[in-house]
Amino acid sequence: MTPQPPHPACGPFDCLGTSARLVDRTISAIYDDALRPLGIRVTQMGVLVVLARLGGGTATEIAQMLRMDKSTVSRSLDRLIDSGWVTADEGADARTQPLTLTRSGRAMIDRSAPAWAEAQEHVRTLVGDAFADKLVRTAEKLMNQPQ
């Protein structure tokens, strides 16, 4: 089979989608490596932090806030509940089930702060302060837009 040239409008790294996914995977791996000794992944930590900021919430609210697929949030929540970092109201419908950060979950956030700071500094060194600051501003802008 003869290799086909890439689409002229979207070469491997001219495409914003491909480039964004490469940046996402690279940055996520840095955070996952830093958090691994604590037994948590960056996606799970994001869910814990959202629950802490909201004072509780539902899987739907978390998915909307983090712009994550509901099935990804559900997998993260299953792990967080099994670890004792989140509790769920067993009697409620799964879509509207109230979720609460436990003391152990709050302790995990506190315990992970040094590893998170290490990853944060690693990423800033890798991409530069200007890009890192722009990334944060862009994420804030996107979070404030309706889905």
Side-chain angles (χ1 to χ4, degrees):
M1 178 177 249
T2 305
Q4 297 294 314
H7 188 281
C10 197
F13 299 107
D14 296 327
C15 174
L16 293 174
T18 299
S19 295
R21 289 185 177 274
L22 173 74
V23 170
D24 170 51
R25 286 189 297 271
T26 301
I27 291 173
S28 292
I30 291 167
Y31 280 88
D32 283 343
D33 287 347
L35 295 169
R36 186 170 292 114
L38 298 166
I40 193 164
R41 298 179 57 94
V42 68
T43 51
Q44 296 161 346
M45 184 56 66
V47 172
L48 287 182
V49 169
V50 165
L51 280 174
R53 286 188 178 170
L54 294 176
T58 65
T60 299
E61 290 169 335
I62 294 165
Q64 289 172 345
M65 186 169 210
L66 293 174
R67 302 297 199 265
M68 289 171 68
D69 181 79
K70 288 179 189 174
S71 64
T72 302
V73 171
S74 290
R75 283 191 303 274
S76 289
L77 283 168
D78 288 345
R79 167 83 166 92
L80 297 172
I81 290 167
D82 289 347
S83 297
W85 299 327
V86 171
T87 58
D89 181 352
E90 296 297 326
D93 179 322
R95 292 166 294 166
T96 59
Q97 186 176 47
L99 302 161
T100 307
L101 184 68
T102 65
R103 286 184 183 163
S104 179
R106 179 71 238 180
M108 173 52 78
I109 292 172
D110 295 341
R111 199 167 50 252
S112 70
W116 178 87
E118 175 187 315
Q120 188 89 338
E121 185 58 33
H122 183 164
V123 171
R124 279 192 170 276
T125 300
L126 181 66
V127 302
D129 286 335
F131 180 83
D133 292 342
K134 179 72 173 178
L135 183 61
V136 169
R137 286 192 307 276
T138 300
E140 288 170 349
K141 179 181 176 183
L142 293 173
M143 282 183 65
N144 291 319
Q145 292 181 349
Q147 290 188 37

mmCIF file of all heavy atoms in Angstrom, residues 43-70:
data_model
loop_
_atom_site.group_PDB
_atom_site.id
_atom_site.type_symbol
_atom_site.label_atom_id
_atom_site.label_comp_id
_atom_site.label_asym_id
_atom_site.label_seq_id
_atom_site.Cartn_x
_atom_site.Cartn_y
_atom_site.Cartn_z
ATOM 1 N N THR A 43 -6.607 12.813 36.164
ATOM 2 C CA THR A 43 -8.041 12.918 35.920
ATOM 3 C C THR A 43 -8.838 12.735 37.209
ATOM 4 O O THR A 43 -9.828 13.435 37.448
ATOM 5 C CB THR A 43 -8.506 11.885 34.875
ATOM 6 O OG1 THR A 43 -8.034 10.590 35.262
ATOM 7 C CG2 THR A 43 -8.004 12.223 33.486
ATOM 8 N N GLN A 44 -8.404 11.796 38.045
ATOM 9 C CA GLN A 44 -9.075 11.564 39.327
ATOM 10 C C GLN A 44 -8.863 12.749 40.267
ATOM 11 O O GLN A 44 -9.786 13.156 40.982
ATOM 12 C CB GLN A 44 -8.558 10.282 39.961
ATOM 13 C CG GLN A 44 -8.871 9.052 39.136
ATOM 14 C CD GLN A 44 -7.994 7.869 39.480
ATOM 15 O OE1 GLN A 44 -6.982 7.999 40.157
ATOM 16 N NE2 GLN A 44 -8.375 6.692 38.993
ATOM 17 N N MET A 45 -7.655 13.305 40.255
ATOM 18 C CA MET A 45 -7.379 14.468 41.102
ATOM 19 C C MET A 45 -8.261 15.644 40.690
ATOM 20 O O MET A 45 -8.772 16.378 41.541
ATOM 21 C CB MET A 45 -5.894 14.846 41.016
ATOM 22 C CG MET A 45 -5.505 15.990 41.937
ATOM 23 S SD MET A 45 -5.896 15.704 43.684
ATOM 24 C CE MET A 45 -4.813 14.358 44.042
ATOM 25 N N GLY A 46 -8.460 15.804 39.389
ATOM 26 C CA GLY A 46 -9.339 16.873 38.912
ATOM 27 C C GLY A 46 -10.748 16.743 39.464
ATOM 28 O O GLY A 46 -11.368 17.728 39.866
ATOM 29 N N VAL A 47 -11.251 15.517 39.515
ATOM 30 C CA VAL A 47 -12.591 15.272 40.066
ATOM 31 C C VAL A 47 -12.617 15.616 41.555
ATOM 32 O O VAL A 47 -13.554 16.272 42.028
ATOM 33 C CB VAL A 47 -13.035 13.817 39.803
ATOM 34 C CG1 VAL A 47 -14.327 13.500 40.544
ATOM 35 C CG2 VAL A 47 -13.195 13.576 38.303
ATOM 36 N N LEU A 48 -11.600 15.201 42.303
ATOM 37 C CA LEU A 48 -11.545 15.531 43.734
ATOM 38 C C LEU A 48 -11.543 17.036 43.947
ATOM 39 O O LEU A 48 -12.265 17.555 44.815
ATOM 40 C CB LEU A 48 -10.288 14.933 44.380
ATOM 41 C CG LEU A 48 -10.242 13.439 44.618
ATOM 42 C CD1 LEU A 48 -8.934 13.061 45.310
ATOM 43 C CD2 LEU A 48 -11.430 12.955 45.425
ATOM 44 N N VAL A 49 -10.746 17.751 43.163
ATOM 45 C CA VAL A 49 -10.643 19.200 43.326
ATOM 46 C C VAL A 49 -11.966 19.877 42.992
ATOM 47 O O VAL A 49 -12.395 20.805 43.695
ATOM 48 C CB VAL A 49 -9.478 19.758 42.478
ATOM 49 C CG1 VAL A 49 -9.505 21.277 42.418
ATOM 50 C CG2 VAL A 49 -8.146 19.268 43.032
ATOM 51 N N VAL A 50 -12.651 19.418 41.957
ATOM 52 C CA VAL A 50 -13.963 19.994 41.620
ATOM 53 C C VAL A 50 -14.947 19.763 42.756
ATOM 54 O O VAL A 50 -15.674 20.678 43.154
ATOM 55 C CB VAL A 50 -14.497 19.434 40.282
ATOM 56 C CG1 VAL A 50 -15.971 19.735 40.106
ATOM 57 C CG2 VAL A 50 -13.694 20.002 39.124
ATOM 58 N N LEU A 51 -14.970 18.539 43.304
ATOM 59 C CA LEU A 51 -15.871 18.272 44.433
ATOM 60 C C LEU A 51 -15.537 19.163 45.629
ATOM 61 O O LEU A 51 -16.441 19.651 46.313
ATOM 62 C CB LEU A 51 -15.816 16.803 44.839
ATOM 63 C CG LEU A 51 -16.626 15.847 43.975
ATOM 64 C CD1 LEU A 51 -16.363 14.401 44.387
ATOM 65 C CD2 LEU A 51 -18.111 16.168 44.068
ATOM 66 N N ALA A 52 -14.256 19.382 45.870
ATOM 67 C CA ALA A 52 -13.855 20.259 46.977
ATOM 68 C C ALA A 52 -14.327 21.691 46.722
ATOM 69 O O ALA A 52 -14.848 22.346 47.628
ATOM 70 C CB ALA A 52 -12.342 20.219 47.170
ATOM 71 N N ARG A 53 -14.156 22.165 45.512
ATOM 72 C CA ARG A 53 -14.559 23.548 45.183
ATOM 73 C C ARG A 53 -16.058 23.741 45.223
ATOM 74 O O ARG A 53 -16.546 24.782 45.643
ATOM 75 C CB ARG A 53 -14.027 23.941 43.805
ATOM 76 C CG ARG A 53 -12.546 24.197 43.814
ATOM 77 C CD ARG A 53 -12.071 24.762 42.512
ATOM 78 N NE ARG A 53 -10.647 25.018 42.601
ATOM 79 C CZ ARG A 53 -9.895 25.338 41.589
ATOM 80 N NH1 ARG A 53 -10.423 25.438 40.386
ATOM 81 N NH2 ARG A 53 -8.616 25.552 41.752
ATOM 82 N N LEU A 54 -16.803 22.720 44.763
ATOM 83 C CA LEU A 54 -18.265 22.825 44.744
ATOM 84 C C LEU A 54 -18.888 22.515 46.102
ATOM 85 O O LEU A 54 -20.055 22.820 46.320
ATOM 86 C CB LEU A 54 -18.854 21.861 43.702
ATOM 87 C CG LEU A 54 -18.547 22.119 42.238
ATOM 88 C CD1 LEU A 54 -19.126 21.004 41.371
ATOM 89 C CD2 LEU A 54 -19.096 23.478 41.809
ATOM 90 N N GLY A 55 -18.138 21.863 46.983
ATOM 91 C CA GLY A 55 -18.710 21.413 48.249
ATOM 92 C C GLY A 55 -19.584 20.193 48.053
ATOM 93 O O GLY A 55 -20.458 19.909 48.861
ATOM 94 N N GLY A 56 -19.361 19.452 46.974
ATOM 95 C CA GLY A 56 -20.163 18.291 46.606
ATOM 96 C C GLY A 56 -20.738 18.516 45.227
ATOM 97 O O GLY A 56 -20.584 19.582 44.643
ATOM 98 N N GLY A 57 -21.403 17.514 44.689
ATOM 99 C CA GLY A 57 -21.990 17.660 43.365
ATOM 100 C C GLY A 57 -22.442 16.330 42.823
ATOM 101 O O GLY A 57 -22.444 15.321 43.533
ATOM 102 N N THR A 58 -22.812 16.330 41.557
ATOM 103 C CA THR A 58 -23.231 15.112 40.872
ATOM 104 C C THR A 58 -22.231 14.805 39.763
ATOM 105 O O THR A 58 -21.450 15.670 39.356
ATOM 106 C CB THR A 58 -24.628 15.268 40.243
ATOM 107 O OG1 THR A 58 -24.550 16.261 39.205
ATOM 108 C CG2 THR A 58 -25.673 15.666 41.283
ATOM 109 N N ALA A 59 -22.284 13.581 39.259
ATOM 110 C CA ALA A 59 -21.403 13.190 38.152
ATOM 111 C C ALA A 59 -21.649 14.091 36.938
ATOM 112 O O ALA A 59 -20.704 14.484 36.250
ATOM 113 C CB ALA A 59 -21.617 11.729 37.793
ATOM 114 N N THR A 60 -22.890 14.447 36.705
ATOM 115 C CA THR A 60 -23.223 15.315 35.571
ATOM 116 C C THR A 60 -22.588 16.691 35.744
ATOM 117 O O THR A 60 -22.019 17.246 34.792
ATOM 118 C CB THR A 60 -24.753 15.438 35.417
ATOM 119 O OG1 THR A 60 -25.291 14.126 35.178
ATOM 120 C CG2 THR A 60 -25.136 16.361 34.288
ATOM 121 N N GLU A 61 -22.659 17.244 36.940
ATOM 122 C CA GLU A 61 -22.050 18.562 37.191
ATOM 123 C C GLU A 61 -20.535 18.516 37.005
ATOM 124 O O GLU A 61 -19.945 19.437 36.430
ATOM 125 C CB GLU A 61 -22.391 19.043 38.602
ATOM 126 C CG GLU A 61 -23.846 19.410 38.778
ATOM 127 C CD GLU A 61 -24.240 19.622 40.237
ATOM 128 O OE1 GLU A 61 -23.590 19.060 41.143
ATOM 129 O OE2 GLU A 61 -25.221 20.361 40.455
ATOM 130 N N ILE A 62 -19.931 17.447 37.486
ATOM 131 C CA ILE A 62 -18.475 17.307 37.335
ATOM 132 C C ILE A 62 -18.113 17.196 35.861
ATOM 133 O O ILE A 62 -17.180 17.869 35.390
ATOM 134 C CB ILE A 62 -17.967 16.077 38.114
ATOM 135 C CG1 ILE A 62 -18.155 16.286 39.608
ATOM 136 C CG2 ILE A 62 -16.499 15.790 37.786
ATOM 137 C CD1 ILE A 62 -18.026 15.029 40.430
ATOM 138 N N ALA A 63 -18.836 16.361 35.125
ATOM 139 C CA ALA A 63 -18.566 16.187 33.695
ATOM 140 C C ALA A 63 -18.702 17.505 32.951
ATOM 141 O O ALA A 63 -17.870 17.842 32.100
ATOM 142 C CB ALA A 63 -19.510 15.138 33.104
ATOM 143 N N GLN A 64 -19.735 18.279 33.283
ATOM 144 C CA GLN A 64 -19.927 19.567 32.628
ATOM 145 C C GLN A 64 -18.811 20.543 32.976
ATOM 146 O O GLN A 64 -18.271 21.221 32.105
ATOM 147 C CB GLN A 64 -21.284 20.165 33.016
ATOM 148 C CG GLN A 64 -22.441 19.433 32.393
ATOM 149 C CD GLN A 64 -23.792 19.894 32.925
ATOM 150 O OE1 GLN A 64 -23.889 20.556 33.944
ATOM 151 N NE2 GLN A 64 -24.843 19.517 32.219
ATOM 152 N N MET A 65 -18.434 20.598 34.236
ATOM 153 C CA MET A 65 -17.414 21.546 34.664
ATOM 154 C C MET A 65 -16.054 21.228 34.043
ATOM 155 O O MET A 65 -15.330 22.130 33.629
ATOM 156 C CB MET A 65 -17.304 21.570 36.178
ATOM 157 C CG MET A 65 -16.374 22.635 36.685
ATOM 158 S SD MET A 65 -16.557 22.808 38.462
ATOM 159 C CE MET A 65 -16.165 24.523 38.639
ATOM 160 N N LEU A 66 -15.704 19.944 33.989
ATOM 161 C CA LEU A 66 -14.403 19.534 33.464
ATOM 162 C C LEU A 66 -14.434 19.246 31.965
ATOM 163 O O LEU A 66 -13.415 18.892 31.391
ATOM 164 C CB LEU A 66 -13.894 18.301 34.219
ATOM 165 C CG LEU A 66 -13.541 18.518 35.683
ATOM 166 C CD1 LEU A 66 -13.188 17.202 36.350
ATOM 167 C CD2 LEU A 66 -12.401 19.520 35.809
ATOM 168 N N ARG A 67 -15.627 19.362 31.356
ATOM 169 C CA ARG A 67 -15.790 19.060 29.933
ATOM 170 C C ARG A 67 -15.305 17.635 29.629
ATOM 171 O O ARG A 67 -14.634 17.383 28.642
ATOM 172 C CB ARG A 67 -15.044 20.049 29.042
ATOM 173 C CG ARG A 67 -15.413 21.506 29.200
ATOM 174 C CD ARG A 67 -16.872 21.757 28.822
ATOM 175 N NE ARG A 67 -17.136 23.158 28.543
ATOM 176 C CZ ARG A 67 -17.600 24.023 29.415
ATOM 177 N NH1 ARG A 67 -17.825 23.644 30.664
ATOM 178 N NH2 ARG A 67 -17.861 25.264 29.080
ATOM 179 N N MET A 68 -15.664 16.724 30.529
ATOM 180 C CA MET A 68 -15.282 15.316 30.382
ATOM 181 C C MET A 68 -16.498 14.498 29.987
ATOM 182 O O MET A 68 -17.634 14.833 30.344
ATOM 183 C CB MET A 68 -14.721 14.765 31.703
ATOM 184 C CG MET A 68 -13.358 15.298 32.064
ATOM 185 S SD MET A 68 -12.836 14.821 33.738
ATOM 186 C CE MET A 68 -12.617 13.062 33.559
ATOM 187 N N ASP A 69 -16.253 13.421 29.286
ATOM 188 C CA ASP A 69 -17.289 12.462 28.949
ATOM 189 C C ASP A 69 -17.822 11.843 30.246
ATOM 190 O O ASP A 69 -17.059 11.545 31.157
ATOM 191 C CB ASP A 69 -16.667 11.387 28.046
ATOM 192 C CG ASP A 69 -17.665 10.354 27.631
ATOM 193 O OD1 ASP A 69 -18.448 10.643 26.718
ATOM 194 O OD2 ASP A 69 -17.660 9.257 28.232
ATOM 195 N N LYS A 70 -19.124 11.647 30.324
ATOM 196 C CA LYS A 70 -19.720 11.099 31.552
ATOM 197 C C LYS A 70 -19.178 9.721 31.907
ATOM 198 O O LYS A 70 -19.016 9.397 33.082
ATOM 199 C CB LYS A 70 -21.238 11.069 31.427
ATOM 200 C CG LYS A 70 -21.859 12.452 31.486
ATOM 201 C CD LYS A 70 -23.360 12.400 31.330
ATOM 202 C CE LYS A 70 -23.903 13.805 31.178
ATOM 203 N NZ LYS A 70 -25.319 13.812 30.883
#
